[in-house]
Amino acid sequence: MRLTIYTDYSLRVLIYLSTLSENEKTNIKEIATAYGISKNHLMKVIFQLGKLGLIETTRGRNGGIRLALEPNEINIGSVVRHTEDDLNIVECFNPEQNTCAISPVCKLKGVLDQALKAYLEVLDHYTLADLTKNQSLLKQLLQQNNSTSL
C-alpha cells in the first residue's frame, strides 16, 4: 500500500495544525516552509480539508487556518478514505475497467481485498490526537524548519 502525496500532505497539514495553540492560526506559507513542500499543492489540500470540515479557513487581516475539530475527533482512516482518489489497488477491484482474463477464478483479488480492509481498519483505530502525543517535539521541529528558511 502506498498513499498519494495528496494524502501525505493532508496528514502533514493536520499534524501541523494540531501543534498550534487553541486560538492560534497559521497560513499556507508557514506550513509549506515547515515541511519544505509546494504551496501550490497545499492550496488544493487546504481547500479539500476545509470542504471535509476538518479545518477552518478565514480570509482577511485576521485570517488563517486552524483545526475545525479537536484532534481526538479526527480519525486517520477517515482522512485517508476521503483524500485517496482511488483505493482500487488492482484493476479487478473496478468491475468497469477490469480486463483481467483470470478474474472469474483468481484468488488474488480476495487476498488483496482482505489486506486493504485490514490496512484501513488499523488506520481507523487512530486519531490525530494519537499521532501528536509528542506535540511539543513536533512543534519544535516544525518551528525550527520555519526559522532556518527565513
mmCIF file of all heavy atoms in Angstrom, residues 73-102:
data_model
loop_
_atom_site.group_PDB
_atom_site.id
_atom_site.type_symbol
_atom_site.label_atom_id
_atom_site.label_comp_id
_atom_site.label_asym_id
_atom_site.label_seq_id
_atom_site.Cartn_x
_atom_site.Cartn_y
_atom_site.Cartn_z
ATOM 1 N N GLU A 73 -11.119 13.957 17.514
ATOM 2 C CA GLU A 73 -12.306 13.780 16.681
ATOM 3 C C GLU A 73 -11.955 13.530 15.209
ATOM 4 O O GLU A 73 -12.850 13.312 14.405
ATOM 5 C CB GLU A 73 -13.206 15.011 16.766
ATOM 6 C CG GLU A 73 -13.744 15.286 18.156
ATOM 7 C CD GLU A 73 -14.524 16.583 18.231
ATOM 8 O OE1 GLU A 73 -13.985 17.636 17.856
ATOM 9 O OE2 GLU A 73 -15.688 16.523 18.674
ATOM 10 N N ILE A 74 -10.676 13.573 14.898
ATOM 11 C CA ILE A 74 -10.240 13.392 13.510
ATOM 12 C C ILE A 74 -9.647 12.001 13.359
ATOM 13 O O ILE A 74 -8.544 11.719 13.837
ATOM 14 C CB ILE A 74 -9.236 14.485 13.098
ATOM 15 C CG1 ILE A 74 -9.905 15.868 13.209
ATOM 16 C CG2 ILE A 74 -8.714 14.234 11.683
ATOM 17 C CD1 ILE A 74 -8.987 17.032 12.943
ATOM 18 N N ASN A 75 -10.400 11.128 12.702
ATOM 19 C CA ASN A 75 -9.989 9.739 12.519
ATOM 20 C C ASN A 75 -9.096 9.616 11.287
ATOM 21 O O ASN A 75 -9.444 10.089 10.203
ATOM 22 C CB ASN A 75 -11.230 8.863 12.366
ATOM 23 C CG ASN A 75 -10.866 7.416 12.173
ATOM 24 O OD1 ASN A 75 -10.663 6.968 11.051
ATOM 25 N ND2 ASN A 75 -10.765 6.682 13.270
ATOM 26 N N ILE A 76 -7.962 8.962 11.459
ATOM 27 C CA ILE A 76 -6.973 8.850 10.382
ATOM 28 C C ILE A 76 -7.502 7.990 9.232
ATOM 29 O O ILE A 76 -7.307 8.326 8.060
ATOM 30 C CB ILE A 76 -5.639 8.299 10.925
ATOM 31 C CG1 ILE A 76 -5.083 9.231 12.025
ATOM 32 C CG2 ILE A 76 -4.622 8.126 9.808
ATOM 33 C CD1 ILE A 76 -4.935 10.695 11.620
ATOM 34 N N GLY A 77 -8.185 6.913 9.523
ATOM 35 C CA GLY A 77 -8.766 6.081 8.472
ATOM 36 C C GLY A 77 -9.740 6.864 7.610
ATOM 37 O O GLY A 77 -9.752 6.744 6.383
ATOM 38 N N SER A 78 -10.542 7.688 8.246
ATOM 39 C CA SER A 78 -11.499 8.513 7.514
ATOM 40 C C SER A 78 -10.782 9.532 6.625
ATOM 41 O O SER A 78 -11.177 9.744 5.474
ATOM 42 C CB SER A 78 -12.417 9.226 8.508
ATOM 43 O OG SER A 78 -13.314 10.064 7.828
ATOM 44 N N VAL A 79 -9.748 10.145 7.142
ATOM 45 C CA VAL A 79 -8.978 11.113 6.343
ATOM 46 C C VAL A 79 -8.412 10.422 5.110
ATOM 47 O O VAL A 79 -8.511 10.939 3.993
ATOM 48 C CB VAL A 79 -7.849 11.766 7.172
ATOM 49 C CG1 VAL A 79 -6.948 12.628 6.284
ATOM 50 C CG2 VAL A 79 -8.412 12.592 8.318
ATOM 51 N N VAL A 80 -7.830 9.244 5.294
ATOM 52 C CA VAL A 80 -7.252 8.512 4.168
ATOM 53 C C VAL A 80 -8.333 8.162 3.149
ATOM 54 O O VAL A 80 -8.141 8.356 1.942
ATOM 55 C CB VAL A 80 -6.495 7.254 4.651
ATOM 56 C CG1 VAL A 80 -6.127 6.343 3.497
ATOM 57 C CG2 VAL A 80 -5.238 7.673 5.429
ATOM 58 N N ARG A 81 -9.464 7.689 3.597
ATOM 59 C CA ARG A 81 -10.551 7.344 2.669
ATOM 60 C C ARG A 81 -11.033 8.553 1.859
ATOM 61 O O ARG A 81 -11.385 8.428 0.697
ATOM 62 C CB ARG A 81 -11.738 6.755 3.429
ATOM 63 C CG ARG A 81 -11.553 5.325 3.845
ATOM 64 C CD ARG A 81 -12.817 4.829 4.567
ATOM 65 N NE ARG A 81 -12.646 3.493 5.065
ATOM 66 C CZ ARG A 81 -12.077 3.190 6.239
ATOM 67 N NH1 ARG A 81 -11.619 4.146 7.033
ATOM 68 N NH2 ARG A 81 -11.962 1.939 6.625
ATOM 69 N N HIS A 82 -11.045 9.731 2.504
ATOM 70 C CA HIS A 82 -11.540 10.933 1.831
ATOM 71 C C HIS A 82 -10.489 11.637 0.977
ATOM 72 O O HIS A 82 -10.851 12.466 0.134
ATOM 73 C CB HIS A 82 -12.112 11.920 2.858
ATOM 74 C CG HIS A 82 -13.451 11.509 3.362
ATOM 75 N ND1 HIS A 82 -13.614 10.828 4.544
ATOM 76 C CD2 HIS A 82 -14.682 11.666 2.837
ATOM 77 C CE1 HIS A 82 -14.900 10.594 4.726
ATOM 78 N NE2 HIS A 82 -15.568 11.082 3.708
ATOM 79 N N THR A 83 -9.228 11.343 1.189
ATOM 80 C CA THR A 83 -8.191 12.042 0.413
ATOM 81 C C THR A 83 -7.548 11.170 -0.660
ATOM 82 O O THR A 83 -6.961 11.697 -1.598
ATOM 83 C CB THR A 83 -7.094 12.618 1.328
ATOM 84 O OG1 THR A 83 -6.540 11.572 2.126
ATOM 85 C CG2 THR A 83 -7.652 13.722 2.223
ATOM 86 N N GLU A 84 -7.683 9.871 -0.527
ATOM 87 C CA GLU A 84 -7.187 8.979 -1.584
ATOM 88 C C GLU A 84 -8.221 8.948 -2.696
ATOM 89 O O GLU A 84 -9.394 8.704 -2.442
ATOM 90 C CB GLU A 84 -6.961 7.561 -1.043
ATOM 91 C CG GLU A 84 -5.686 7.392 -0.271
ATOM 92 C CD GLU A 84 -4.436 7.585 -1.102
ATOM 93 O OE1 GLU A 84 -4.284 6.920 -2.150
ATOM 94 O OE2 GLU A 84 -3.605 8.418 -0.699
ATOM 95 N N ASP A 85 -7.790 9.179 -3.912
ATOM 96 C CA ASP A 85 -8.742 9.226 -5.013
ATOM 97 C C ASP A 85 -9.119 7.841 -5.515
ATOM 98 O O ASP A 85 -10.137 7.665 -6.173
ATOM 99 C CB ASP A 85 -8.223 10.085 -6.162
ATOM 100 C CG ASP A 85 -6.884 9.617 -6.700
ATOM 101 O OD1 ASP A 85 -6.263 8.737 -6.095
ATOM 102 O OD2 ASP A 85 -6.451 10.152 -7.741
ATOM 103 N N ASP A 86 -8.321 6.837 -5.191
ATOM 104 C CA ASP A 86 -8.600 5.510 -5.733
ATOM 105 C C ASP A 86 -8.001 4.438 -4.827
ATOM 106 O O ASP A 86 -6.791 4.274 -4.766
ATOM 107 C CB ASP A 86 -8.000 5.399 -7.135
ATOM 108 C CG ASP A 86 -8.355 4.115 -7.842
ATOM 109 O OD1 ASP A 86 -9.136 3.312 -7.308
ATOM 110 O OD2 ASP A 86 -7.826 3.910 -8.947
ATOM 111 N N LEU A 87 -8.855 3.729 -4.139
ATOM 112 C CA LEU A 87 -8.397 2.627 -3.296
ATOM 113 C C LEU A 87 -8.483 1.290 -4.036
ATOM 114 O O LEU A 87 -8.327 0.231 -3.439
ATOM 115 C CB LEU A 87 -9.184 2.574 -1.986
ATOM 116 C CG LEU A 87 -8.867 3.698 -0.998
ATOM 117 C CD1 LEU A 87 -9.829 3.683 0.175
ATOM 118 C CD2 LEU A 87 -7.438 3.613 -0.508
ATOM 119 N N ASN A 88 -8.722 1.349 -5.334
ATOM 120 C CA ASN A 88 -8.705 0.138 -6.155
ATOM 121 C C ASN A 88 -7.245 -0.209 -6.442
ATOM 122 O O ASN A 88 -6.665 0.255 -7.415
ATOM 123 C CB ASN A 88 -9.467 0.363 -7.475
ATOM 124 C CG ASN A 88 -10.935 0.573 -7.243
ATOM 125 O OD1 ASN A 88 -11.513 0.012 -6.324
ATOM 126 N ND2 ASN A 88 -11.551 1.395 -8.062
ATOM 127 N N ILE A 89 -6.662 -1.022 -5.576
ATOM 128 C CA ILE A 89 -5.223 -1.274 -5.674
ATOM 129 C C ILE A 89 -4.849 -2.207 -6.819
ATOM 130 O O ILE A 89 -3.684 -2.287 -7.183
ATOM 131 C CB ILE A 89 -4.645 -1.773 -4.333
ATOM 132 C CG1 ILE A 89 -5.329 -3.063 -3.875
ATOM 133 C CG2 ILE A 89 -4.754 -0.690 -3.282
ATOM 134 C CD1 ILE A 89 -4.719 -3.667 -2.621
ATOM 135 N N VAL A 90 -5.828 -2.892 -7.371
ATOM 136 C CA VAL A 90 -5.614 -3.694 -8.578
ATOM 137 C C VAL A 90 -6.797 -3.476 -9.514
ATOM 138 O O VAL A 90 -7.892 -3.093 -9.093
ATOM 139 C CB VAL A 90 -5.427 -5.207 -8.284
ATOM 140 C CG1 VAL A 90 -4.082 -5.491 -7.645
ATOM 141 C CG2 VAL A 90 -6.543 -5.743 -7.415
ATOM 142 N N GLU A 91 -6.583 -3.716 -10.762
ATOM 143 C CA GLU A 91 -7.587 -3.486 -11.804
ATOM 144 C C GLU A 91 -8.925 -4.161 -11.512
ATOM 145 O O GLU A 91 -9.983 -3.587 -11.735
ATOM 146 C CB GLU A 91 -7.022 -3.985 -13.132
ATOM 147 C CG GLU A 91 -7.953 -3.851 -14.304
ATOM 148 C CD GLU A 91 -7.361 -4.459 -15.562
ATOM 149 O OE1 GLU A 91 -6.161 -4.262 -15.837
ATOM 150 O OE2 GLU A 91 -8.119 -5.151 -16.257
ATOM 151 N N CYS A 92 -8.873 -5.378 -10.995
ATOM 152 C CA CYS A 92 -10.112 -6.144 -10.817
ATOM 153 C C CYS A 92 -11.005 -5.602 -9.697
ATOM 154 O O CYS A 92 -12.148 -6.026 -9.562
ATOM 155 C CB CYS A 92 -9.811 -7.619 -10.593
ATOM 156 S SG CYS A 92 -8.749 -7.959 -9.189
ATOM 157 N N PHE A 93 -10.518 -4.638 -8.900
ATOM 158 C CA PHE A 93 -11.362 -4.006 -7.897
ATOM 159 C C PHE A 93 -12.413 -3.110 -8.545
ATOM 160 O O PHE A 93 -13.406 -2.777 -7.934
ATOM 161 C CB PHE A 93 -10.520 -3.190 -6.920
ATOM 162 C CG PHE A 93 -9.892 -3.987 -5.807
ATOM 163 C CD1 PHE A 93 -9.603 -5.331 -5.937
ATOM 164 C CD2 PHE A 93 -9.577 -3.379 -4.607
ATOM 165 C CE1 PHE A 93 -9.016 -6.053 -4.901
ATOM 166 C CE2 PHE A 93 -8.996 -4.086 -3.570
ATOM 167 C CZ PHE A 93 -8.716 -5.421 -3.720
ATOM 168 N N ASN A 94 -12.172 -2.708 -9.779
ATOM 169 C CA ASN A 94 -13.095 -1.842 -10.503
ATOM 170 C C ASN A 94 -13.715 -2.630 -11.654
ATOM 171 O O ASN A 94 -13.095 -2.785 -12.708
ATOM 172 C CB ASN A 94 -12.360 -0.608 -11.036
ATOM 173 C CG ASN A 94 -13.276 0.371 -11.718
ATOM 174 O OD1 ASN A 94 -14.388 0.025 -12.115
ATOM 175 N ND2 ASN A 94 -12.808 1.590 -11.866
ATOM 176 N N PRO A 95 -14.921 -3.142 -11.472
ATOM 177 C CA PRO A 95 -15.533 -4.003 -12.485
ATOM 178 C C PRO A 95 -15.684 -3.331 -13.854
ATOM 179 O O PRO A 95 -15.657 -3.996 -14.879
ATOM 180 C CB PRO A 95 -16.905 -4.353 -11.913
ATOM 181 C CG PRO A 95 -16.985 -3.753 -10.567
ATOM 182 C CD PRO A 95 -15.769 -2.921 -10.327
ATOM 183 N N GLU A 96 -15.814 -2.011 -13.879
ATOM 184 C CA GLU A 96 -15.985 -1.292 -15.143
ATOM 185 C C GLU A 96 -14.701 -1.248 -15.968
ATOM 186 O O GLU A 96 -14.756 -1.113 -17.182
ATOM 187 C CB GLU A 96 -16.484 0.129 -14.871
ATOM 188 C CG GLU A 96 -17.869 0.158 -14.237
ATOM 189 C CD GLU A 96 -18.200 1.508 -13.622
ATOM 190 O OE1 GLU A 96 -17.415 2.463 -13.769
ATOM 191 O OE2 GLU A 96 -19.257 1.593 -12.984
ATOM 192 N N GLN A 97 -13.552 -1.350 -15.317
ATOM 193 C CA GLN A 97 -12.277 -1.270 -16.032
ATOM 194 C C GLN A 97 -11.505 -2.582 -16.022
ATOM 195 O O GLN A 97 -10.397 -2.656 -16.519
ATOM 196 C CB GLN A 97 -11.412 -0.158 -15.434
ATOM 197 C CG GLN A 97 -12.015 1.213 -15.623
ATOM 198 C CD GLN A 97 -11.149 2.303 -15.025
ATOM 199 O OE1 GLN A 97 -10.300 2.049 -14.191
ATOM 200 N NE2 GLN A 97 -11.362 3.527 -15.464
ATOM 201 N N ASN A 98 -12.096 -3.602 -15.463
ATOM 202 C CA ASN A 98 -11.409 -4.880 -15.325
ATOM 203 C C ASN A 98 -11.347 -5.617 -16.670
ATOM 204 O O ASN A 98 -12.365 -5.942 -17.257
ATOM 205 C CB ASN A 98 -12.112 -5.744 -14.292
ATOM 206 C CG ASN A 98 -11.389 -7.041 -14.030
ATOM 207 O OD1 ASN A 98 -10.217 -7.181 -14.357
ATOM 208 N ND2 ASN A 98 -12.088 -7.988 -13.449
ATOM 209 N N THR A 99 -10.119 -5.888 -17.116
ATOM 210 C CA THR A 99 -9.927 -6.663 -18.353
ATOM 211 C C THR A 99 -9.101 -7.913 -18.096
ATOM 212 O O THR A 99 -8.674 -8.588 -19.025
ATOM 213 C CB THR A 99 -9.219 -5.800 -19.426
ATOM 214 O OG1 THR A 99 -7.946 -5.391 -18.919
ATOM 215 C CG2 THR A 99 -10.054 -4.592 -19.806
ATOM 216 N N CYS A 100 -8.884 -8.224 -16.825
ATOM 217 C CA CYS A 100 -8.043 -9.371 -16.480
ATOM 218 C C CYS A 100 -8.743 -10.681 -16.855
ATOM 219 O O CYS A 100 -9.881 -10.948 -16.440
ATOM 220 C CB CYS A 100 -7.716 -9.355 -14.999
ATOM 221 S SG CYS A 100 -6.646 -10.724 -14.485
ATOM 222 N N ALA A 101 -8.052 -11.489 -17.600
ATOM 223 C CA ALA A 101 -8.606 -12.738 -18.113
ATOM 224 C C ALA A 101 -8.913 -13.763 -17.019
ATOM 225 O O ALA A 101 -9.815 -14.582 -17.170
ATOM 226 C CB ALA A 101 -7.654 -13.346 -19.137
ATOM 227 N N ILE A 102 -8.190 -13.702 -15.905
ATOM 228 C CA ILE A 102 -8.379 -14.733 -14.878
ATOM 229 C C ILE A 102 -9.294 -14.285 -13.735
ATOM 230 O O ILE A 102 -9.482 -15.012 -12.760
ATOM 231 C CB ILE A 102 -7.029 -15.227 -14.324
ATOM 232 C CG1 ILE A 102 -6.277 -14.110 -13.599
ATOM 233 C CG2 ILE A 102 -6.190 -15.851 -15.434
ATOM 234 C CD1 ILE A 102 -5.060 -14.582 -12.819
#
